[in-house]
Amino acid sequence: MHLTKSDIESKSKVDRLNLINAVSGVKPANLIGTICENKYQNLAIFSSIVHLGSHPAILGFILRPNQAVRRHTYENILETGYYTINHVHTSIAAQAHFTSAKFEKETSEFEKCGLTPEFIADFGAPFVKESRLKMGMKYLESVPISINNTIMVVGEIEHLILPEHAMDENGYIDLNAIDSVGISGLNTYYKLEKMETFPYARTGNLPNFER
Ligand SMILES: Cc1cc2nc3c(=O)[nH]c(=O)nc-3n(C[C@H](O)[C@H](O)[C@H](O)COP(=O)(O)O)c2cc1C
């Protein structure tokens, strides 16, 4: 199959959305936890979390604002300056997925989707108790992407919480050990299986791949 730009553009909105949402490959599955000034808690699934740098330790995510629908996660982040990012694992994938439903601001997705809010170390946003790798994030900036009116929200990791057995002495995290899942498109979840860890690639340690 070979699709050109015009083939893609001539698809129905839903077919195009399903297709193009999946072409980047497996994306990380994370829940973003926030709270507003009036103390209503919010939880929503996001697949666009991306590493931006290690020093400082910063992550970004893409927010797709919609004129018609309020985005509670973003409103809360702007109000409090804090949020949490929580990995989704196989036993909470269904609960995590349904946090994407459009609930009222006063309704807690934690409650509706059977997940437990957890406050730690006086941090100003709720973590997901059931999650096995979680980060407390401080909001830094919003970077507009004008071509499609999306925003990259950038934040710094202030807390990183994971089980001892999931990290080795070099800092490598074993996603298998904590059962983290990946997402394709907007509704398909994949189990991850660790395949191999290769050494840092240098021209000096190149295996002989030449034919
Ligand atoms: C698998 C999946 C991944 C999603 N990833 C994103 C994302 O990266 N960015 C985004 O803006 N919305 C994403 N959404 C949609 C949000 O989860 C959804 O709009 C949610 O209602 C936002 O909640 P809020 O209004 O409480 O912030 C995703 C939905 C699903 C099902």
Side-chain angles (χ1 to χ4, degrees):
M1 190 184 293
H2 176 163
L3 301 178
T4 62
K5 180 177 171 179
S6 66
D7 296 327
I8 294 168
E9 283 175 359
S10 63
K11 283 187 172 292
S12 73
K13 186 181 169 199
V14 173
D15 287 358
R16 188 172 52 243
L17 187 147
N18 289 339
L19 175 69
I20 301 303
N21 251 295
V23 292
S24 66
V26 174
K27 301 171 281 184
N30 285 288
L31 287 161
I32 297 190
T34 54
I35 188 166
C36 70
E37 279 169 351
N38 293 332
K39 305 296 172 211
Y40 293 120
Q41 296 170 2
N42 195 87
L43 190 66
I45 189 159
F46 284 78
S47 60
S48 57
I49 313 284
V50 62
H51 162 85
L52 293 178
S54 309
H55 189 59
I58 55 174
L59 301 175
F61 69 93
I62 303 293
L63 188 89
R64 301 190 288 269
N66 175 331
Q67 312 304 340
V69 184
R70 285 172 64 189
R71 300 305 304 259
H72 302 137
T73 301
Y74 191 49
E75 285 178 14
N76 293 351
I77 291 174
L78 294 182
E79 265 180 41
T80 66
Y82 290 93
Y83 56 106
T84 67
I85 297 180
N86 307 264
H87 275 213
V88 175
H89 58 80
T90 49
S91 358
I92 59 168
Q95 290 99 311
H97 179 74
F98 283 93
T99 62
S100 60
K102 301 274 170 277
F103 294 102
E104 296 297 319
K105 181 146 186 165
E106 297 73 23
T107 305
S108 165
E109 290 87 356
F110 281 101
E111 211 173 292
K112 289 285 174 193
C113 297
L115 294 165
T116 317
E118 182 182 43
F119 285 90
I120 49 179
D122 293 330
F123 191 76
F127 292 81
V128 176
K129 186 161 196 256
E130 291 80 1
S131 173
R132 295 173 184 154
L133 188 154
K134 28 199 159 186
M135 291 166 281
M137 306 293 300
K138 182 179 194 312
Y139 169 69
L140 296 178
E141 65 174 312
S142 297
V143 183
I145 299 167
S146 58
I147 187 72
N148 63 352
N149 285 322
T150 53
I151 300 170
M152 174 173 277
V153 181
V154 180
E156 180 167 11
I157 303 174
E158 291 207 332
H159 298 274
L160 171 59
I161 299 157
L162 73 166
E164 296 284 334
H165 70 92
M167 192 175 80
D168 76 11
E169 64 281 4
N170 298 316
Y172 288 113
I173 291 174
D174 183 350
L175 295 177
N176 246 177
I178 53 173
D179 241 0
S180 292
V181 299
I183 299 177
S184 171
L186 275 177
N187 50 20
T188 307
Y189 293 75
Y190 284 79
K191 285 184 181 171
L192 305 177
E193 187 186 342
K194 183 167 160 187
M195 191 188 93
E196 182 65 278
T197 303
F198 297 113
Y200 186 85
R202 295 185 175 82
T203 53
N205 68 357
L206 195 68
N208 185 6
F209 295 125
E210 287 182 33
R211 299 182 190 203

mmCIF file of all heavy atoms in Angstrom, residues 110-156:
data_model
loop_
_atom_site.group_PDB
_atom_site.id
_atom_site.type_symbol
_atom_site.label_atom_id
_atom_site.label_comp_id
_atom_site.label_asym_id
_atom_site.label_seq_id
_atom_site.Cartn_x
_atom_site.Cartn_y
_atom_site.Cartn_z
ATOM 1 N N PHE A 110 -10.561 9.995 38.970
ATOM 2 C CA PHE A 110 -10.028 8.989 39.902
ATOM 3 C C PHE A 110 -11.187 8.115 40.391
ATOM 4 O O PHE A 110 -11.126 6.887 40.357
ATOM 5 C CB PHE A 110 -9.391 9.666 41.125
ATOM 6 C CG PHE A 110 -8.005 10.222 40.894
ATOM 7 C CD1 PHE A 110 -7.802 11.582 40.681
ATOM 8 C CD2 PHE A 110 -6.904 9.381 40.921
ATOM 9 C CE1 PHE A 110 -6.530 12.089 40.499
ATOM 10 C CE2 PHE A 110 -5.622 9.879 40.737
ATOM 11 C CZ PHE A 110 -5.440 11.248 40.524
ATOM 12 N N GLU A 111 -12.243 8.791 40.840
ATOM 13 C CA GLU A 111 -13.384 8.082 41.405
ATOM 14 C C GLU A 111 -14.129 7.279 40.333
ATOM 15 O O GLU A 111 -14.400 6.097 40.502
ATOM 16 C CB GLU A 111 -14.313 9.123 42.015
ATOM 17 C CG GLU A 111 -15.103 8.637 43.210
ATOM 18 C CD GLU A 111 -15.833 9.816 43.816
ATOM 19 O OE1 GLU A 111 -15.169 10.718 44.372
ATOM 20 O OE2 GLU A 111 -17.061 9.830 43.681
ATOM 21 N N LYS A 112 -14.425 7.956 39.217
ATOM 22 C CA LYS A 112 -15.219 7.317 38.161
ATOM 23 C C LYS A 112 -14.497 6.133 37.529
ATOM 24 O O LYS A 112 -15.128 5.202 37.034
ATOM 25 C CB LYS A 112 -15.558 8.332 37.053
ATOM 26 C CG LYS A 112 -16.563 9.367 37.496
ATOM 27 C CD LYS A 112 -17.945 8.749 37.543
ATOM 28 C CE LYS A 112 -18.936 9.729 38.121
ATOM 29 N NZ LYS A 112 -20.214 9.097 38.462
ATOM 30 N N CYS A 113 -13.162 6.191 37.494
ATOM 31 C CA CYS A 113 -12.409 5.140 36.805
ATOM 32 C C CYS A 113 -11.705 4.187 37.771
ATOM 33 O O CYS A 113 -10.874 3.373 37.352
ATOM 34 C CB CYS A 113 -11.410 5.774 35.832
ATOM 35 S SG CYS A 113 -12.244 6.711 34.540
ATOM 36 N N GLY A 114 -12.014 4.287 39.050
ATOM 37 C CA GLY A 114 -11.504 3.305 40.015
ATOM 38 C C GLY A 114 -10.016 3.387 40.266
ATOM 39 O O GLY A 114 -9.355 2.364 40.478
ATOM 40 N N LEU A 115 -9.466 4.590 40.251
ATOM 41 C CA LEU A 115 -8.047 4.773 40.571
ATOM 42 C C LEU A 115 -7.937 5.632 41.835
ATOM 43 O O LEU A 115 -8.845 6.411 42.131
ATOM 44 C CB LEU A 115 -7.310 5.416 39.387
ATOM 45 C CG LEU A 115 -7.257 4.514 38.142
ATOM 46 C CD1 LEU A 115 -6.863 5.302 36.900
ATOM 47 C CD2 LEU A 115 -6.289 3.347 38.368
ATOM 48 N N THR A 116 -6.812 5.486 42.561
ATOM 49 C CA THR A 116 -6.717 6.120 43.880
ATOM 50 C C THR A 116 -5.780 7.324 43.868
ATOM 51 O O THR A 116 -4.599 7.173 43.532
ATOM 52 C CB THR A 116 -6.182 5.083 44.910
ATOM 53 O OG1 THR A 116 -6.837 3.844 44.677
ATOM 54 C CG2 THR A 116 -6.384 5.555 46.335
ATOM 55 N N PRO A 117 -6.280 8.509 44.251
ATOM 56 C CA PRO A 117 -5.375 9.654 44.347
ATOM 57 C C PRO A 117 -4.462 9.503 45.558
ATOM 58 O O PRO A 117 -4.886 9.001 46.593
ATOM 59 C CB PRO A 117 -6.315 10.848 44.525
ATOM 60 C CG PRO A 117 -7.592 10.272 45.018
ATOM 61 C CD PRO A 117 -7.662 8.847 44.586
ATOM 62 N N GLU A 118 -3.216 9.919 45.403
ATOM 63 C CA GLU A 118 -2.242 9.781 46.489
ATOM 64 C C GLU A 118 -1.431 11.078 46.554
ATOM 65 O O GLU A 118 -0.889 11.504 45.530
ATOM 66 C CB GLU A 118 -1.324 8.600 46.141
ATOM 67 C CG GLU A 118 -0.281 8.278 47.156
ATOM 68 C CD GLU A 118 0.612 7.115 46.683
ATOM 69 O OE1 GLU A 118 1.014 7.091 45.501
ATOM 70 O OE2 GLU A 118 0.891 6.245 47.511
ATOM 71 N N PHE A 119 -1.399 11.693 47.731
ATOM 72 C CA PHE A 119 -0.604 12.919 47.880
ATOM 73 C C PHE A 119 0.656 12.582 48.659
ATOM 74 O O PHE A 119 0.583 11.949 49.709
ATOM 75 C CB PHE A 119 -1.420 13.997 48.600
ATOM 76 C CG PHE A 119 -2.458 14.600 47.697
ATOM 77 C CD1 PHE A 119 -3.732 14.057 47.622
ATOM 78 C CD2 PHE A 119 -2.158 15.689 46.887
ATOM 79 C CE1 PHE A 119 -4.686 14.592 46.767
ATOM 80 C CE2 PHE A 119 -3.107 16.230 46.022
ATOM 81 C CZ PHE A 119 -4.372 15.682 45.968
ATOM 82 N N ILE A 120 1.825 12.977 48.123
ATOM 83 C CA ILE A 120 3.066 12.650 48.811
ATOM 84 C C ILE A 120 3.958 13.882 48.918
ATOM 85 O O ILE A 120 3.923 14.763 48.061
ATOM 86 C CB ILE A 120 3.839 11.525 48.092
ATOM 87 C CG1 ILE A 120 3.952 11.806 46.610
ATOM 88 C CG2 ILE A 120 3.198 10.174 48.313
ATOM 89 C CD1 ILE A 120 4.711 10.746 45.870
ATOM 90 N N ALA A 121 4.727 13.909 49.984
ATOM 91 C CA ALA A 121 5.774 14.918 50.185
ATOM 92 C C ALA A 121 5.269 16.344 49.969
ATOM 93 O O ALA A 121 5.978 17.167 49.393
ATOM 94 C CB ALA A 121 6.951 14.622 49.253
ATOM 95 N N ASP A 122 4.054 16.636 50.410
ATOM 96 C CA ASP A 122 3.465 17.975 50.272
ATOM 97 C C ASP A 122 3.411 18.451 48.830
ATOM 98 O O ASP A 122 3.366 19.644 48.565
ATOM 99 C CB ASP A 122 4.259 19.025 51.084
ATOM 100 C CG ASP A 122 4.132 18.760 52.561
ATOM 101 O OD1 ASP A 122 3.082 18.225 52.963
ATOM 102 O OD2 ASP A 122 5.095 19.079 53.291
ATOM 103 N N PHE A 123 3.483 17.521 47.883
ATOM 104 C CA PHE A 123 3.488 17.915 46.476
ATOM 105 C C PHE A 123 2.087 18.346 46.052
ATOM 106 O O PHE A 123 1.098 17.715 46.422
ATOM 107 C CB PHE A 123 3.992 16.744 45.604
ATOM 108 C CG PHE A 123 4.267 17.156 44.198
ATOM 109 C CD1 PHE A 123 5.409 17.878 43.888
ATOM 110 C CD2 PHE A 123 3.363 16.878 43.184
ATOM 111 C CE1 PHE A 123 5.647 18.301 42.591
ATOM 112 C CE2 PHE A 123 3.594 17.286 41.889
ATOM 113 C CZ PHE A 123 4.740 18.001 41.592
ATOM 114 N N GLY A 124 2.007 19.418 45.238
ATOM 115 C CA GLY A 124 0.728 20.060 44.945
ATOM 116 C C GLY A 124 -0.115 19.457 43.851
ATOM 117 O O GLY A 124 -0.886 20.169 43.198
ATOM 118 N N ALA A 125 -0.010 18.150 43.609
ATOM 119 C CA ALA A 125 -0.877 17.491 42.611
ATOM 120 C C ALA A 125 -0.995 16.015 42.995
ATOM 121 O O ALA A 125 -0.071 15.453 43.578
ATOM 122 C CB ALA A 125 -0.288 17.639 41.209
ATOM 123 N N PRO A 126 -2.132 15.384 42.650
ATOM 124 C CA PRO A 126 -2.317 13.979 43.032
ATOM 125 C C PRO A 126 -1.586 12.999 42.117
ATOM 126 O O PRO A 126 -1.612 13.150 40.892
ATOM 127 C CB PRO A 126 -3.843 13.794 42.908
ATOM 128 C CG PRO A 126 -4.279 14.817 41.911
ATOM 129 C CD PRO A 126 -3.316 15.962 41.988
ATOM 130 N N PHE A 127 -0.921 12.015 42.733
ATOM 131 C CA PHE A 127 -0.324 10.900 41.991
ATOM 132 C C PHE A 127 -1.383 9.793 41.896
ATOM 133 O O PHE A 127 -2.398 9.830 42.595
ATOM 134 C CB PHE A 127 0.896 10.352 42.735
ATOM 135 C CG PHE A 127 2.068 11.293 42.772
ATOM 136 C CD1 PHE A 127 2.121 12.337 43.698
ATOM 137 C CD2 PHE A 127 3.137 11.132 41.901
ATOM 138 C CE1 PHE A 127 3.207 13.206 43.739
ATOM 139 C CE2 PHE A 127 4.229 11.998 41.941
ATOM 140 C CZ PHE A 127 4.264 13.035 42.860
ATOM 141 N N VAL A 128 -1.114 8.809 41.020
ATOM 142 C CA VAL A 128 -2.000 7.636 40.925
ATOM 143 C C VAL A 128 -1.363 6.532 41.766
ATOM 144 O O VAL A 128 -0.275 6.041 41.438
ATOM 145 C CB VAL A 128 -2.154 7.175 39.461
ATOM 146 C CG1 VAL A 128 -3.003 5.907 39.381
ATOM 147 C CG2 VAL A 128 -2.757 8.288 38.616
ATOM 148 N N LYS A 129 -2.028 6.163 42.858
ATOM 149 C CA LYS A 129 -1.448 5.176 43.792
ATOM 150 C C LYS A 129 -1.084 3.880 43.067
ATOM 151 O O LYS A 129 -0.031 3.301 43.315
ATOM 152 C CB LYS A 129 -2.465 4.894 44.902
ATOM 153 C CG LYS A 129 -1.966 4.011 45.993
ATOM 154 C CD LYS A 129 -2.826 4.147 47.243
ATOM 155 C CE LYS A 129 -2.119 3.569 48.435
ATOM 156 N NZ LYS A 129 -2.622 2.287 48.843
ATOM 157 N N GLU A 130 -1.949 3.418 42.169
ATOM 158 C CA GLU A 130 -1.740 2.130 41.505
ATOM 159 C C GLU A 130 -0.575 2.159 40.506
ATOM 160 O O GLU A 130 -0.057 1.103 40.127
ATOM 161 C CB GLU A 130 -3.018 1.718 40.750
ATOM 162 C CG GLU A 130 -4.196 1.349 41.627
ATOM 163 C CD GLU A 130 -4.971 2.569 42.169
ATOM 164 O OE1 GLU A 130 -4.595 3.722 41.839
ATOM 165 O OE2 GLU A 130 -5.937 2.356 42.912
ATOM 166 N N SER A 131 -0.164 3.336 40.053
ATOM 167 C CA SER A 131 0.891 3.424 39.053
ATOM 168 C C SER A 131 2.235 3.034 39.672
ATOM 169 O O SER A 131 2.471 3.263 40.850
ATOM 170 C CB SER A 131 0.949 4.848 38.501
ATOM 171 O OG SER A 131 2.061 4.989 37.648
ATOM 172 N N ARG A 132 3.129 2.458 38.840
ATOM 173 C CA ARG A 132 4.402 1.959 39.395
ATOM 174 C C ARG A 132 5.581 2.879 39.106
ATOM 175 O O ARG A 132 6.636 2.738 39.708
ATOM 176 C CB ARG A 132 4.678 0.565 38.849
ATOM 177 C CG ARG A 132 3.633 -0.410 39.325
ATOM 178 C CD ARG A 132 3.765 -1.763 38.672
ATOM 179 N NE ARG A 132 2.672 -2.615 39.117
ATOM 180 C CZ ARG A 132 2.192 -3.630 38.421
ATOM 181 N NH1 ARG A 132 2.717 -3.921 37.248
ATOM 182 N NH2 ARG A 132 1.198 -4.334 38.899
ATOM 183 N N LEU A 133 5.419 3.791 38.170
ATOM 184 C CA LEU A 133 6.469 4.803 37.958
ATOM 185 C C LEU A 133 5.748 6.138 37.853
ATOM 186 O O LEU A 133 4.868 6.318 37.000
ATOM 187 C CB LEU A 133 7.274 4.527 36.686
ATOM 188 C CG LEU A 133 8.514 5.414 36.499
ATOM 189 C CD1 LEU A 133 9.561 4.727 35.644
ATOM 190 C CD2 LEU A 133 8.201 6.792 35.941
ATOM 191 N N LYS A 134 6.070 7.051 38.764
ATOM 192 C CA LYS A 134 5.337 8.322 38.785
ATOM 193 C C LYS A 134 6.285 9.488 39.013
ATOM 194 O O LYS A 134 7.303 9.352 39.683
ATOM 195 C CB LYS A 134 4.225 8.307 39.825
ATOM 196 C CG LYS A 134 4.448 7.421 41.009
ATOM 197 C CD LYS A 134 3.144 7.101 41.730
ATOM 198 C CE LYS A 134 3.317 5.848 42.568
ATOM 199 N NZ LYS A 134 2.100 5.369 43.181
ATOM 200 N N MET A 135 5.919 10.609 38.434
ATOM 201 C CA MET A 135 6.764 11.800 38.536
ATOM 202 C C MET A 135 5.940 13.000 38.982
ATOM 203 O O MET A 135 4.831 13.209 38.495
ATOM 204 C CB MET A 135 7.395 12.095 37.171
ATOM 205 C CG MET A 135 8.425 11.057 36.767
ATOM 206 S SD MET A 135 8.862 11.167 35.026
ATOM 207 C CE MET A 135 7.484 10.359 34.250
ATOM 208 N N GLY A 136 6.517 13.775 39.882
ATOM 209 C CA GLY A 136 5.922 15.038 40.289
ATOM 210 C C GLY A 136 6.553 16.130 39.443
ATOM 211 O O GLY A 136 7.780 16.298 39.456
ATOM 212 N N MET A 137 5.740 16.872 38.704
ATOM 213 C CA MET A 137 6.246 17.829 37.714
ATOM 214 C C MET A 137 5.919 19.265 38.111
ATOM 215 O O MET A 137 4.817 19.571 38.562
ATOM 216 C CB MET A 137 5.589 17.574 36.353
ATOM 217 C CG MET A 137 5.707 16.161 35.825
ATOM 218 S SD MET A 137 7.386 15.681 35.394
ATOM 219 C CE MET A 137 7.797 16.889 34.152
ATOM 220 N N LYS A 138 6.904 20.167 37.879
ATOM 221 C CA LYS A 138 6.674 21.610 38.050
ATOM 222 C C LYS A 138 6.569 22.205 36.652
ATOM 223 O O LYS A 138 7.461 22.012 35.810
ATOM 224 C CB LYS A 138 7.849 22.225 38.799
ATOM 225 C CG LYS A 138 7.718 23.698 39.074
ATOM 226 C CD LYS A 138 8.967 24.130 39.839
ATOM 227 C CE LYS A 138 8.890 25.459 40.486
ATOM 228 N NZ LYS A 138 8.432 26.566 39.819
ATOM 229 N N TYR A 139 5.479 22.906 36.424
ATOM 230 C CA TYR A 139 5.248 23.531 35.111
ATOM 231 C C TYR A 139 6.297 24.605 34.831
ATOM 232 O O TYR A 139 6.594 25.435 35.705
ATOM 233 C CB TYR A 139 3.848 24.136 35.100
ATOM 234 C CG TYR A 139 3.551 25.032 33.920
ATOM 235 C CD1 TYR A 139 3.420 24.500 32.648
ATOM 236 C CD2 TYR A 139 3.394 26.408 34.101
ATOM 237 C CE1 TYR A 139 3.144 25.327 31.569
ATOM 238 C CE2 TYR A 139 3.112 27.238 33.028
ATOM 239 C CZ TYR A 139 2.998 26.690 31.754
ATOM 240 O OH TYR A 139 2.731 27.500 30.687
ATOM 241 N N LEU A 140 6.848 24.604 33.624
ATOM 242 C CA LEU A 140 7.836 25.622 33.253
ATOM 243 C C LEU A 140 7.329 26.575 32.166
ATOM 244 O O LEU A 140 7.392 27.776 32.324
ATOM 245 C CB LEU A 140 9.137 24.961 32.756
ATOM 246 C CG LEU A 140 9.924 24.120 33.765
ATOM 247 C CD1 LEU A 140 11.149 23.509 33.089
ATOM 248 C CD2 LEU A 140 10.355 24.969 34.959
ATOM 249 N N GLU A 141 6.857 26.033 31.057
ATOM 250 C CA GLU A 141 6.404 26.919 29.980
ATOM 251 C C GLU A 141 5.508 26.194 28.981
ATOM 252 O O GLU A 141 5.478 24.963 28.935
ATOM 253 C CB GLU A 141 7.596 27.539 29.232
ATOM 254 C CG GLU A 141 8.457 26.558 28.476
ATOM 255 C CD GLU A 141 9.534 27.254 27.632
ATOM 256 O OE1 GLU A 141 9.202 28.211 26.903
ATOM 257 O OE2 GLU A 141 10.691 26.840 27.690
ATOM 258 N N SER A 142 4.784 26.975 28.193
ATOM 259 C CA SER A 142 3.961 26.446 27.109
ATOM 260 C C SER A 142 4.521 26.959 25.795
ATOM 261 O O SER A 142 4.750 28.156 25.653
ATOM 262 C CB SER A 142 2.519 26.950 27.232
ATOM 263 O OG SER A 142 1.944 26.488 28.417
ATOM 264 N N VAL A 143 4.751 26.044 24.870
ATOM 265 C CA VAL A 143 5.311 26.438 23.583
ATOM 266 C C VAL A 143 4.233 26.235 22.518
ATOM 267 O O VAL A 143 3.806 25.103 22.271
ATOM 268 C CB VAL A 143 6.551 25.575 23.247
ATOM 269 C CG1 VAL A 143 7.184 26.015 21.936
ATOM 270 C CG2 VAL A 143 7.556 25.599 24.390
ATOM 271 N N PRO A 144 3.745 27.321 21.917
ATOM 272 C CA PRO A 144 2.686 27.158 20.911
ATOM 273 C C PRO A 144 3.216 26.552 19.614
ATOM 274 O O PRO A 144 4.313 26.884 19.177
ATOM 275 C CB PRO A 144 2.201 28.594 20.672
ATOM 276 C CG PRO A 144 3.283 29.481 21.170
ATOM 277 C CD PRO A 144 4.135 28.718 22.125
ATOM 278 N N ILE A 145 2.433 25.654 19.036
ATOM 279 C CA ILE A 145 2.748 25.101 17.715
ATOM 280 C C ILE A 145 1.651 25.642 16.796
ATOM 281 O O ILE A 145 0.517 25.151 16.796
ATOM 282 C CB ILE A 145 2.776 23.558 17.761
ATOM 283 C CG1 ILE A 145 3.870 23.116 18.748
ATOM 284 C CG2 ILE A 145 3.023 22.955 16.368
ATOM 285 C CD1 ILE A 145 3.840 21.673 19.136
ATOM 286 N N SER A 146 1.989 26.720 16.078
ATOM 287 C CA SER A 146 0.943 27.510 15.443
ATOM 288 C C SER A 146 0.261 26.794 14.274
ATOM 289 O O SER A 146 -0.904 27.040 13.988
ATOM 290 C CB SER A 146 1.502 28.859 14.989
ATOM 291 O OG SER A 146 2.570 28.624 14.111
ATOM 292 N N ILE A 147 0.953 25.885 13.626
ATOM 293 C CA ILE A 147 0.406 25.239 12.426
ATOM 294 C C ILE A 147 -0.933 24.547 12.692
ATOM 295 O O ILE A 147 -1.821 24.535 11.850
ATOM 296 C CB ILE A 147 1.450 24.250 11.812
ATOM 297 C CG1 ILE A 147 0.990 23.698 10.470
ATOM 298 C CG2 ILE A 147 1.784 23.108 12.731
ATOM 299 C CD1 ILE A 147 1.033 24.685 9.354
ATOM 300 N N ASN A 148 -1.086 23.967 13.899
ATOM 301 C CA ASN A 148 -2.376 23.301 14.182
ATOM 302 C C ASN A 148 -2.941 23.687 15.548
ATOM 303 O O ASN A 148 -3.745 22.947 16.127
ATOM 304 C CB ASN A 148 -2.240 21.775 14.061
ATOM 305 C CG ASN A 148 -1.273 21.198 15.072
ATOM 306 O OD1 ASN A 148 -0.576 21.931 15.772
ATOM 307 N ND2 ASN A 148 -1.228 19.889 15.157
ATOM 308 N N ASN A 149 -2.475 24.825 16.067
ATOM 309 C CA ASN A 149 -2.986 25.338 17.346
ATOM 310 C C ASN A 149 -2.854 24.357 18.498
ATOM 311 O O ASN A 149 -3.744 24.246 19.331
ATOM 312 C CB ASN A 149 -4.461 25.732 17.227
ATOM 313 C CG ASN A 149 -4.584 27.025 16.474
ATOM 314 O OD1 ASN A 149 -3.759 27.927 16.653
ATOM 315 N ND2 ASN A 149 -5.571 27.112 15.604
ATOM 316 N N THR A 150 -1.753 23.613 18.521
ATOM 317 C CA THR A 150 -1.492 22.770 19.683
ATOM 318 C C THR A 150 -0.433 23.466 20.545
ATOM 319 O O THR A 150 0.136 24.483 20.141
ATOM 320 C CB THR A 150 -1.019 21.356 19.274
ATOM 321 O OG1 THR A 150 0.088 21.493 18.387
ATOM 322 C CG2 THR A 150 -2.137 20.587 18.591
ATOM 323 N N ILE A 151 -0.220 22.911 21.713
ATOM 324 C CA ILE A 151 0.733 23.525 22.649
ATOM 325 C C ILE A 151 1.637 22.428 23.185
ATOM 326 O O ILE A 151 1.144 21.339 23.528
ATOM 327 C CB ILE A 151 -0.011 24.140 23.858
ATOM 328 C CG1 ILE A 151 -0.984 25.216 23.415
ATOM 329 C CG2 ILE A 151 0.959 24.699 24.886
ATOM 330 C CD1 ILE A 151 -1.905 25.671 24.544
ATOM 331 N N MET A 152 2.937 22.684 23.273
ATOM 332 C CA MET A 152 3.783 21.758 24.024
ATOM 333 C C MET A 152 3.939 22.309 25.431
ATOM 334 O O MET A 152 4.396 23.441 25.615
ATOM 335 C CB MET A 152 5.150 21.568 23.382
ATOM 336 C CG MET A 152 6.031 20.712 24.287
ATOM 337 S SD MET A 152 7.594 20.225 23.611
ATOM 338 C CE MET A 152 7.139 18.825 22.650
ATOM 339 N N VAL A 153 3.516 21.521 26.395
ATOM 340 C CA VAL A 153 3.607 21.927 27.800
ATOM 341 C C VAL A 153 4.891 21.327 28.369
ATOM 342 O O VAL A 153 5.093 20.109 28.304
ATOM 343 C CB VAL A 153 2.377 21.427 28.597
ATOM 344 C CG1 VAL A 153 2.467 21.874 30.049
ATOM 345 C CG2 VAL A 153 1.086 21.915 27.952
ATOM 346 N N VAL A 154 5.754 22.183 28.900
ATOM 347 C CA VAL A 154 7.070 21.738 29.360
ATOM 348 C C VAL A 154 7.146 21.829 30.877
ATOM 349 O O VAL A 154 6.729 22.838 31.474
ATOM 350 C CB VAL A 154 8.183 22.614 28.725
ATOM 351 C CG1 VAL A 154 9.567 22.162 29.182
ATOM 352 C CG2 VAL A 154 8.078 22.582 27.200
ATOM 353 N N GLY A 155 7.664 20.771 31.494
ATOM 354 C CA GLY A 155 7.794 20.774 32.950
ATOM 355 C C GLY A 155 9.039 20.040 33.404
ATOM 356 O O GLY A 155 9.648 19.276 32.649
ATOM 357 N N GLU A 156 9.434 20.309 34.660
ATOM 358 C CA GLU A 156 10.641 19.717 35.228
ATOM 359 C C GLU A 156 10.267 18.649 36.253
ATOM 360 O O GLU A 156 9.330 18.836 37.045
ATOM 361 C CB GLU A 156 11.471 20.822 35.906
ATOM 362 C CG GLU A 156 12.745 20.290 36.520
ATOM 363 C CD GLU A 156 13.706 21.409 36.917
ATOM 364 O OE1 GLU A 156 13.293 22.593 36.909
ATOM 365 O OE2 GLU A 156 14.862 21.086 37.244
#
